[in-house]
């Protein structure tokens, strides 16, 4: 029973390039969350998606960042024109129904993005 | 807005000693609290959660936490730690469609 799968595990980009991070939720889960962990900090919520819908993007930077969760395939977090400050670990979590106390989010192992 | 404070960024302890990792929350509504553990280069794993009912919550790996409403705290405890408990520990509150995390406490267990 596979957990939340994120790829790549490590991604290196040069300033100005695009980064695409993928997340496949656990089987049967239709809700995906993206979090960002900056060095020496806790995780910060970015965006919450259901299939084909963005439910809450209150934590997404206003520019360069976008996320999608298509009907088929993984969720994608896309960062355009990356800058050094985008270097972080990006974690995806999934849940079968909207989270609440009975359905804690399950996390993937993250994608570590490094910007040269 | 809800928030979580973890006062200790690092907690060093010797093997087999007891440990307490502190967590305080701020919330104006019913609160659901969680402790997650993060081993190096891995994602977060749920240790335990408080939903309602008994204020003492038992989790995996011998950890437990106590919900204290009057002190707005949810401290994590283990009576005897192992080397393998060395990791980062995060306290979180449900908000409700996202998790609000503290900044984490690094537990370092020495032989």
């Amino acid at each position: 029973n596979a957990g939340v799968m994120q790829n790549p595990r490590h991604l290196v980009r040069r300033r100005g390039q695009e980064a695409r991070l993928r997340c496949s939720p656990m089987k049967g889960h239709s809700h995906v969350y993206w979090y960002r962990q900056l060095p020496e900090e806790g995780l910060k919520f970015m965006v919450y998606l259901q299939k084909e819908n963005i439910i809450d993007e209150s934590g997404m930077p206003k520019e360069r960042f976008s996320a999608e969760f298509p009907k088929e395939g993984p969720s994608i977090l896309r960062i355009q024109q990356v800058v050094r400050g985008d270097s972080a670990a990006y974690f995806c979590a999934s849940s079968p129904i909207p989270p609440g106390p009975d359905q804690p989010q399950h996390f993937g192992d993250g994608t570590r993005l490094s910007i040269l | 807005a809800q928030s979580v404070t973890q006062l200790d960024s690092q907690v060093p302890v010797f093997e087999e000693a007891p440990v307490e990792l502190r967590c305080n929350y701020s919330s104006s509504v019913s609160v659901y609290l969680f402790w997650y553990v993060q081993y190096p280069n891995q994602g977060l794993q749920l240790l335990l959660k408080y939903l309602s009912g008994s204020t003492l919550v038992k989790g995996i790996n011998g950890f437990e936490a106590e919900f204290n409403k009057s002190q707005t705290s949810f401290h994590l405890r283990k009576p005897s730690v192992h080397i393998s408990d060395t990791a980062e520990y995060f306290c979180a509150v449900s908000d409700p469609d996202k998790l609000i995390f503290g900044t984490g406490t690094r537990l370092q267990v020495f032989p």
Side-chain angles (χ1 to χ4, degrees):
Chain A
N1 184 18
V4 178
M5 303 300 291
Q6 290 188 249
N7 69 83
R9 290 294 307 277
H10 301 274
L11 181 61
V12 179
R13 286 287 178 267
R14 295 187 181 280
R15 282 177 293 172
Q17 291 184 321
E18 178 180 286
R20 282 182 181 241
L21 289 61
R22 297 176 193 78
C23 170
S24 296
M26 286 181 69
K27 188 176 181 180
H29 288 194
S30 57
H31 298 256
V32 165
Y33 314 83
W34 285 93
Y35 293 83
R36 178 166 63 175
Q37 183 178 31
L38 294 170
E40 307 302 320
E41 293 188 18
L43 280 74
K44 296 282 173 53
F45 169 78
M46 299 180 76
V47 63
Y48 162 36
L49 311 100
Q50 293 178 25
K51 286 282 188 180
E52 300 184 280
N53 287 306
I54 295 175
I55 306 303
D56 181 352
E57 56 181 349
S58 58
M60 286 281 270
K62 295 288 186 285
E63 298 177 347
R64 303 187 297 109
F65 285 72
S66 62
E68 63 177 8
F69 189 16
K71 187 176 181 180
E72 302 291 337
S75 175
I76 305 287
L77 179 67
R78 182 181 176 206
I79 311 172
Q80 295 178 290
Q81 299 174 357
V82 296
V83 301
R84 287 253 172 87
D86 296 332
S87 294
Y90 292 82
F91 289 95
C92 172
S94 72
S95 70
I97 60 175
D102 293 336
Q103 295 292 345
Q105 297 173 24
H106 297 262
F107 284 80
D109 285 343
T111 293
R112 278 139 187 93
L113 176 65
S114 298
I115 308 302
L116 301 180
Chain B
Q2 302 194 73
S3 65
V4 173
T5 302
Q6 292 183 250
L7 291 171
D8 306 305
S9 60
Q10 294 187 55
V11 173
V13 65
F14 287 109
E15 195 174 18
E16 298 184 6
V19 70
E20 178 180 83
L21 306 183
R22 296 182 292 169
C23 172
N24 288 89
Y25 67 90
S26 170
S27 174
S28 58
V29 297
S30 297
V31 62
Y32 306 115
L33 294 158
F34 307 83
W35 274 100
Y36 283 86
V37 60
Q38 183 182 31
Y39 298 103
N41 298 315
Q42 293 186 24
L44 276 69
Q45 180 182 1
L46 180 67
L47 273 178
L48 49 79
K49 58 186 177 184
Y50 172 76
L51 310 180
S52 63
S54 173
T55 56
L56 185 62
V57 179
K58 293 191 182 296
I60 62 172
N61 300 342
F63 284 93
E64 64 181 30
E66 185 160 17
F67 173 66
N68 188 319
K69 188 175 182 179
S70 62
Q71 297 186 6
T72 61
S73 67
F74 190 54
H75 300 333
L76 181 71
R77 302 187 183 100
K78 186 169 182 178
S80 175
V81 294
H82 302 139
I83 295 286
S84 59
D85 292 323
T86 294
E88 191 89 19
Y89 291 79
F90 292 97
C91 183
V93 62
S94 181
D95 189 18
D97 62 357
K98 56 184 176 283
L99 292 171
I100 307 298
F101 286 91
T103 50
T105 297
R106 175 158 181 76
L107 176 63
Q108 183 80 47
V109 181
F110 294 95

